[in-house]
Amino acid sequence: MADTKDPKASAPRPQKPIPNAMKFTLGGLAGMCATCFVQPFDVIKTRMQVSSSSGGQKDSSLQVASSIFKDQGIPGLYKGLSAGLLRQATYSTARLGMYSYLNGLYSAHVAPKPTVLASMGMGVIAGSIGAFVGTPAEVALIRMQADGRLPPAERRNYKNVFNALIRIVKEENVMALYRGCIPTTARGAVVNMTQLASYSQFKLLFNSLGLKEGIPLHISASMMSGFLTTLASMPLDMAKTRIQNMKNNEYSGTLDVLMKVAKQEGVLSLWKGMLPYFFRLGPHTVLTFVFLEQFTQFYSVHILGNDSKGSGI
């Protein structure tokens, strides 16, 4: 008897692509969700970086955290949260959206899976764009987080991120919003070259070792990515923080910060605050990618009606 089965019935249904605008939206949302969890570590890291330790004793992460908690309570550990959320709404929206967009172009026109160099190149482009877009919020964030260590008479006492942005323009000038733009962009390029490229490659590696698409794969790849990113970006993050928080033009640029800190405080001071930075960047990397993957899968399956869950990056 002839087979009456319709060959079209077993053919896989075409998968609808996620709109580019939604890729940017999901990237920003993932970054904002992650920031809510790791903000205290970012505050501690910033306080440690802006404090000079030349000739004095260096406070540990725990000592800084205890000091903040003693003086300001739990709210002190979330100082600048509004600026952190705005930063992610600009920075992560741009960088993750652009990286997803470039990945899609590469898969469609070059090869299904990007090479290491291709991933690094896309990370540099996405990170540079995201860092430039997010610089004003970054300046406000650094100042709000560092305010508590200043004498009461010298504190800026910004009410929230929007008050900070308005006062910076009014009291200084528009260009002050882009103070530290060069080291911020350089850090963004290094962070995203390392973070996004290594995440993509670690996913491919772990997948080839038998770890299937899902949360365990996302966590494993993002943990490795977060560690590598911490080591690579810490000195540039130090320079960025010092420049954005300075009041009297203490530094002329990124290289000047790195040289002065290394000479006056020791080379290892370039990694000052590394523990809270890792506890901030590591979990933030993990949470950002996990949120992004889950948001992407939810949108793909429940909004677009696709059969396959797919992958966010």
Side-chain angles (χ1 to χ4, degrees):
M1 184 174 65
D3 188 0
T4 59
K5 185 178 181 181
D6 185 356
K8 293 183 178 180
S10 60
R13 187 172 61 174
Q15 302 295 292
K16 298 177 183 178
I18 295 178
N20 290 324
M22 186 52 61
K23 291 180 180 179
F24 283 83
T25 301
L26 295 177
L29 184 60
M32 292 173 72
C33 288
T35 291
C36 291
F37 288 89
V38 302
Q39 181 69 9
F41 297 110
D42 201 33
V43 173
I44 296 169
K45 179 268 300 182
T46 298
R47 291 285 185 90
M48 294 181 71
Q49 288 182 335
V50 298
S51 64
S52 174
S53 61
S54 180
Q57 183 176 357
K58 300 179 182 180
D59 290 337
S60 66
S61 303
L62 185 58
Q63 288 174 316
V64 173
S66 299
S67 176
I68 294 173
F69 183 78
K70 180 180 179 181
D71 295 339
Q72 303 171 55
I74 293 179
L77 293 171
Y78 281 87
K79 192 75 172 178
L81 179 60
S82 61
L85 292 175
L86 180 61
R87 178 179 180 272
Q88 293 301 322
T90 51
Y91 170 65
S92 283
T93 296
R95 73 179 183 112
L96 294 176
M98 181 57 67
Y99 189 77
S100 295
Y101 171 71
L102 294 174
N103 243 324
L105 287 180
Y106 189 94
S107 298
H109 301 287
V110 181
K113 300 294 183 181
T115 63
V116 175
L117 289 179
S119 294
M120 292 173 67
M122 290 186 287
V124 168
I125 294 173
S128 298
I129 293 174
F132 179 80
V133 171
T135 294
E138 179 92 13
V139 172
L141 174 64
I142 294 300
R143 292 188 177 192
M144 292 175 73
Q145 290 179 337
D147 214 34
R149 65 172 293 274
L150 296 174
E154 297 181 18
R155 293 177 184 175
R156 300 180 174 99
N157 294 317
Y158 297 133
K159 296 178 181 178
N160 52 58
V161 63
F162 300 108
N163 175 251
L165 296 174
I166 293 171
R167 283 183 51 189
I168 289 172
V169 173
K170 183 177 179 180
E171 297 170 7
E172 299 171 57
N173 52 56
V174 175
M175 293 308 297
L177 293 175
Y178 284 89
R179 175 178 289 177
C181 181
I182 293 178
T184 300
T185 302
R187 173 189 174 276
V190 171
V191 165
N192 287 277
M193 177 186 70
T194 308
Q195 186 184 67
L196 298 177
S198 64
Y199 178 73
S200 295
Q201 296 304 315
F202 277 127
K203 276 187 67 176
L204 292 175
L205 173 63
F206 292 141
N207 192 252
S208 68
L209 296 176
L211 199 55
K212 297 182 179 180
E213 184 68 36
I215 291 181
L217 173 63
H218 304 157
I219 292 177
S220 300
S222 56
M223 286 181 64
M224 296 298 295
S225 173
F227 178 73
L228 291 180
T229 305
T230 299
L231 291 177
S233 65
M234 191 74 214
L236 288 173
D237 189 78
M238 157 73 77
K240 171 194 70 65
T241 300
R242 291 285 180 101
I243 290 174
Q244 290 176 333
N245 189 60
M246 69 180 180
K247 284 190 173 183
N248 302 313
N249 297 320
E250 305 165 65
Y251 307 106
S252 60
T254 304
L255 185 60
D256 186 43
V257 176
L258 298 178
M259 292 181 65
K260 284 182 177 178
V261 170
K263 182 178 180 180
Q264 298 171 7
E265 304 174 37
V267 175
L268 292 181
S269 289
L270 294 175
W271 281 269
K272 181 188 290 185
M274 182 171 176
L275 186 60
Y277 184 59
F278 174 71
F279 281 134
R280 183 264 179 195
L281 184 59
H284 194 277
T285 299
V286 173
L287 290 170
T288 296
F289 285 132
V290 169
F291 277 127
L292 179 59
E293 299 277 11
Q294 295 305 305
F295 291 158
T296 300
Q297 291 177 6
F298 180 87
Y299 187 86
S300 178
V301 174
H302 298 286
I303 305 300
L304 297 180
N306 291 330
D307 296 325
S308 174
K309 292 185 177 181
S311 174
I313 294 182

